[in-house]
């Protein structure tokens, strides 16, 4: 297998690359990543030393580059995206550019090359909020924020390339991931880094928003199953059995960081904040998907990683204030 991974220097993509470098049938992996504020080559160490891995610093919006790379690979896993919901409220154009147009450029190049499988990595947020029940893969997409809308657009574009051009596309829609190496803008590392720094953490609104939490390694195992065995044109939900309100998550993180509720303040809810996401994962289970990580153990291990690696997140907290989503727009 010659595998092209976009966004492989980001949080989930880097875990996936490290997993696949170890697979005997993987001949070569190329990571294509623009190294925006969210990308970091350190996430790929020590796999970067492997002769099986090359890194290309480039943008998925660059049609010549992606055409060249598609010709050299037979499988693609597409993680690259602007991924932070809050940024999408004030920089929605960057989300439309990378997530929608960037995905379309990759699909276009892939449909003209000899690609045996193109896995597009999507999210449970495309389904929008569900007050009761759980979304199966054929549930309507009702995204409510620009991030989720841009992911829904790219998700549907990917599926349309399967029907229109016969490109063997699979889509994965996963719930919230956690684990080592996540950028401290996201809720778990933000809470953990603040608590370890002696700061307070903030809960939006009443703290009753429900999210499903999936260890990043379990998501990567699911993406690998879909890459190897997913049927072209199909969507696979990837979640865990663990749904928590934000208050419940906060309680677990306070315990894991040896802190108490005096470190928590409440702030008004953001302008859009879906109350609950929930998915059924029976299709992925049919491929052998079975999340292995228990949340409490996974959180303890994650907190331990942030405790041992302040050099990996403290500079990002300082730099983040000055930077925004960084994408070289090329709309020609
Ligand atoms: P991330 O923000 O940590 O990483 C994104 C990576 O993409 C970075 O390395 C960045 O440099 C790269 N990138 C951004 N724009 C690019 C461009 N134009 N060209 C090339 N590279 C570019 O994101 P993540 O949390 O690892 O998420 C990966 C994927 O999984 C995304 O598609 C996201 O929507 C999806 N997803 C994430 C979660 C989650 O909980 N993190 C949940 C469900 C789905």
């Amino acid at each position: 297998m010659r595998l092209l991974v976009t966004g492989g220097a980001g949080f989930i993509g880097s875990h996936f690359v490290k997993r696949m470098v170890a697979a005997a049938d993987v001949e070569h992996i190329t990571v294509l990543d623009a190294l925006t504020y969210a990308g970091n080559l350190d996430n790929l160490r020590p796999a970067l030393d492997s002769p099986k891995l090359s890194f290309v610093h480039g943008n998925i919006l660059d049609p010549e580059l992606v055409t060249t790379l598609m010709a050299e690979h037979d499988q693609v896993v597409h993680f690259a995206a602007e991924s932070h919901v809050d940024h999408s409220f004030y920089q929605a154009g960057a989300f439309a550019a990378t997530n929608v147009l960037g995905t379309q450029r990759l699909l276009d190049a892939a449909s003209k090359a000899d690609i045996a499988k193109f896995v597009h990595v999507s999210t449970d947020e495309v389904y929008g909020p569900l007050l009761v029940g759980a979304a199966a893969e054929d549930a309507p997409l009702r995204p409510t924020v620009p991030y989720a809308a841009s992911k829904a657009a790219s998700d549907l574009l990917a599926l349309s390339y399967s029907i229109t051009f016969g490109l063997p596309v699979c889509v994965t829609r996963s719930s919230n991931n956690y684990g080592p190496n996540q950028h401290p803008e996201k809720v778990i590392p933000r809470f953990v880094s603040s608590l370890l720094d002696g700061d307070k953490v903030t809960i939006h609104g009443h703290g009753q928003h429900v999210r499903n939490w999936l260890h990043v390694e379990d998501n990567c195992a699911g993406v690998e199953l879909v890459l190897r065995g997913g049927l072209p044109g199909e969507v696979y939900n990837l979640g865990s059995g663990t749904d928590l309100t934000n208050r419940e998550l906060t309680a677990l993180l306070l315990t894991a960081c040896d802190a108490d509720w005096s470190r928590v303040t409440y702030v008004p809810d953001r302008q859009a904040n879906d109350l609950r996401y929930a998915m059924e994962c029976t299709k992925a289970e049919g491929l052998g998907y079975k999340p292995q990580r228990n949340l409490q153990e996974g959180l303890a291990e994650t907190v331990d990683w942030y405790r041992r690696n302040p050099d990996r997140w403290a500079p990002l907290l300082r730099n983040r204030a000055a930077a925004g989503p960084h994408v070289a727009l090329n709309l020609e």
Side-chain angles (χ1 to χ4, degrees):
M1 179 190 308
R2 293 187 62 81
L3 181 62
L4 176 64
V5 179
T6 73
F11 166 49
I12 306 173
S14 60
H15 282 272
F16 182 73
V17 168
K18 286 187 271 191
R19 173 186 190 87
M20 296 305 285
V21 158
D25 63 343
V26 173
E27 190 189 326
H28 194 81
I29 303 180
T30 304
V31 169
L32 169 62
D33 198 296
L35 295 180
T36 67
Y37 79 94
N40 186 343
L41 280 180
D42 285 338
N43 289 343
L44 283 167
R45 294 185 205 289
L48 269 184
D49 297 331
S50 167
K52 284 166 80 172
L53 182 62
S54 344
F55 179 76
V56 175
H57 185 194
N59 202 306
I60 59 168
L61 283 159
D62 180 342
E64 282 168 26
L65 176 61
V66 297
T67 298
T68 303
L69 289 173
M70 287 297 169
E72 296 165 355
H73 297 84
D74 52 28
Q75 316 253 351
V76 181
V77 180
H78 173 37
F79 291 96
E82 288 295 345
S83 68
H84 192 38
V85 172
D86 292 13
H87 296 164
S88 77
F89 294 159
Y90 57 90
Q91 281 168 316
F95 286 70
T98 284
N99 299 1
V100 185
L101 190 57
T103 299
Q104 183 271 326
R105 289 200 171 156
L106 285 171
L107 292 164
D108 227 28
S111 65
K112 292 172 187 142
D114 198 10
I115 297 298
K117 182 68 73 65
F118 185 116
V119 178
H120 173 73
V121 176
S122 187
T123 165
D124 63 351
E125 299 196 28
V126 297
Y127 294 117
L130 259 86
L131 293 185
V132 289
E137 286 81 353
D138 58 358
L141 304 191
R142 295 198 174 101
T144 60
V145 294
Y147 162 70
S150 69
K151 292 298 291 185
S154 57
D155 176 322
L156 294 177
L157 264 174
L159 293 170
S160 81
Y161 271 69
S162 169
I163 297 164
T164 310
F165 302 107
L167 181 67
V169 169
C170 289
V171 171
T172 65
R173 295 181 184 144
S174 92
S175 58
N176 278 22
N177 284 219
Y178 72 95
N181 289 351
Q182 191 169 26
H183 194 286
E185 69 188 359
K186 303 286 169 47
V187 65
I188 287 183
R190 195 175 71 236
F191 271 36
V192 171
S193 54
S194 298
L195 292 171
L196 295 180
D197 255 357
D199 291 339
K200 291 206 169 207
V201 297
T202 52
I203 292 184
H204 283 110
H206 41 53
Q208 294 306 316
H209 303 92
V210 175
R211 297 292 182 265
N212 180 268
W213 290 100
L214 178 65
H215 194 280
V216 62
E217 293 295 347
D218 283 327
N219 184 20
C220 291
V223 172
E224 180 179 356
L225 284 168
V226 171
L227 176 68
R228 293 184 183 282
L231 295 175
E234 295 291 323
V235 179
Y236 296 89
N237 290 342
L238 299 174
S240 74
T242 319
D243 297 327
L244 293 179
T245 66
N246 286 346
R247 265 185 70 84
E248 289 167 334
L249 175 67
T250 304
L252 289 177
L253 292 174
L254 288 171
T255 305
C257 295
D258 304 319
D260 61 36
W261 284 94
S262 65
R263 304 279 293 281
V264 179
T265 53
Y266 287 83
V267 295
D269 207 352
R270 62 186 193 199
Q271 63 262 48
N273 199 354
D274 292 341
L275 189 58
R276 175 177 175 271
Y277 302 124
M279 291 186 298
E280 282 175 11
C281 301
T282 32
K283 271 176 79 178
E285 283 158 18
L287 298 177
Y289 175 67
K290 194 167 183 225
Q292 303 292 323
R293 301 297 182 107
N294 156 294
L295 182 78
Q296 256 150 317
E297 284 165 23
L299 281 181
E301 171 211 283
T302 303
V303 169
D304 184 54
W305 185 88
Y306 282 90
R307 217 187 272 281
R308 286 186 290 104
N309 295 281
D311 53 314
R312 294 290 303 284
W313 50 266
L316 297 177
L317 287 176
R318 286 194 294 275
N319 295 344
R320 179 61 219 138
H326 161 82
V327 58
L329 286 179
N330 171 9
L331 300 178
E332 288 164 18

